[in-house]
Amino acid sequence: SIEELDGIPLIGLQNVPLMGFWNRTIKRAFDLIAAVIIMIMISPLLALIALLVKLTSPGPLFFVQERVGLNNATFNMYKFRTMFVNAEEKTGPVWAKKDDQRTTVIGKFLRRTSLDELPQLFNVIKGDMSLVGPRPERPFFVKQFREEFTHYMLRHQVKEGITGWAQVNGWRGNTSLEKRVIFDIYYIENWTFLLDLKIIWLTLWKGFVNKNAY
């Protein structure tokens, strides 16, 4: 934060909980153990989705996309492919929208139920992402949003997540980006392990199927 005292600009620095070694260690240990257990438990579902993706549309099984993560570093994020191959060749990077004509038949269902996000468990195991955190965005949009929203880049002080505080409060998809940033910053400044558990619980009950998931 920037304040002024007798005409002298002062920069205020605030530590956030996940800058602490033990908090980072606890969060990473939980992410790794939980992600491995979840992947083992849902392996039949993953196999079924993979089969449906391959049977209903030619092309690769996974959609790999560059995203911006912790400390502004980029990584490849995995999803089950929901669009036709080369869907963005003519349009370039665009946000998903309702009745998106680029999506396959099974892709529409996967998006509505958020099942296309499940391969991001690989990203959690690799350490690129966390189970809980701000949702990662593409470099193209990060450059755009950082100019529009003063505090947008603060979201990259922690690892991005599969689900987050903004998402379980309804701010996902084509909704207010300003509200999403506010909720993400609240999460970063007020993180606790119990808050992560609460977000995961809320995701299980109301975070997968969402009117703004398309």
Side-chain angles (χ1 to χ4, degrees):
S1 62
I2 301 178
E3 299 177 354
E4 198 171 280
L5 179 63
D6 292 333
I8 302 174
L10 302 176
I11 299 177
L13 302 179
Q14 177 183 350
N15 283 329
V16 296
L18 285 172
M19 287 183 177
F21 172 79
W22 288 112
N23 286 342
R24 291 201 314 270
T25 301
I26 291 170
K27 185 173 176 65
R28 175 57 185 156
F30 176 76
D31 281 343
L32 185 58
I33 295 170
V36 171
I37 292 174
I38 293 171
M39 286 201 67
I40 293 172
M41 291 177 61
I42 67 171
S43 55
L45 175 61
L46 294 175
L48 176 61
I49 294 173
L51 179 63
L52 292 174
V53 170
K54 294 299 288 184
L55 289 177
T56 55
S57 173
L61 176 60
F62 297 110
F63 180 63
V64 183
Q65 194 174 65
E66 186 181 36
R67 298 287 176 119
V68 180
L70 178 64
N71 296 325
N72 305 327
T74 58
F75 67 94
N76 289 325
M77 189 182 78
Y78 306 110
K79 289 186 176 185
F80 281 118
R81 182 173 58 84
T82 60
M83 297 190 297
F84 295 104
V85 176
N86 301 324
E88 289 192 335
E89 274 192 349
K90 294 182 179 180
T91 63
V94 295
W95 273 45
K97 58 184 180 180
K98 192 173 183 178
D99 300 322
D100 194 338
Q101 298 301 311
R102 303 171 302 164
T103 55
T104 63
V105 174
I106 188 63
K108 289 181 173 64
F109 171 76
L110 294 178
R111 286 190 179 187
R112 289 293 296 170
T113 56
S114 300
L115 292 175
D116 61 319
E117 310 281 358
L118 292 179
Q120 289 162 43
L121 290 167
F122 288 112
N123 288 116
V124 175
I125 293 172
K126 287 174 59 182
D128 297 327
M129 294 176 62
S130 174
L131 289 175
V132 181
R135 286 294 293 160
E137 194 47 82
R138 287 184 274 180
F140 174 86
F141 290 117
V142 170
K143 291 178 182 178
Q144 175 183 334
F145 296 153
R146 70 187 299 174
E147 300 298 328
E148 298 178 13
F149 302 96
T150 305
H151 302 298
Y152 183 82
M153 297 307 290
L154 295 177
R155 301 170 72 255
H156 300 113
Q157 290 186 359
V158 300
K159 285 183 181 179
E160 273 60 27
I162 296 178
T163 185
W165 186 236
Q167 282 65 43
V168 297
N169 280 281
W171 303 109
R172 63 173 295 183
N174 193 16
T175 56
S176 170
L177 184 62
E178 183 178 6
K179 288 286 188 181
R180 199 178 311 174
V181 172
I182 290 172
F183 276 80
D184 286 339
I185 292 176
Y186 173 88
Y187 169 79
I188 293 170
E189 293 181 342
N190 297 275
W191 177 88
T192 64
F193 181 62
L194 290 178
L195 179 58
D196 271 5
L197 294 180
K198 178 180 179 179
I199 292 171
I200 292 172
W201 175 258
L202 290 172
T203 299
L204 293 174
W205 284 105
K206 64 176 185 178
F208 279 100
V209 180
N210 187 284
K211 64 180 181 180
N212 296 316
Y214 39 72

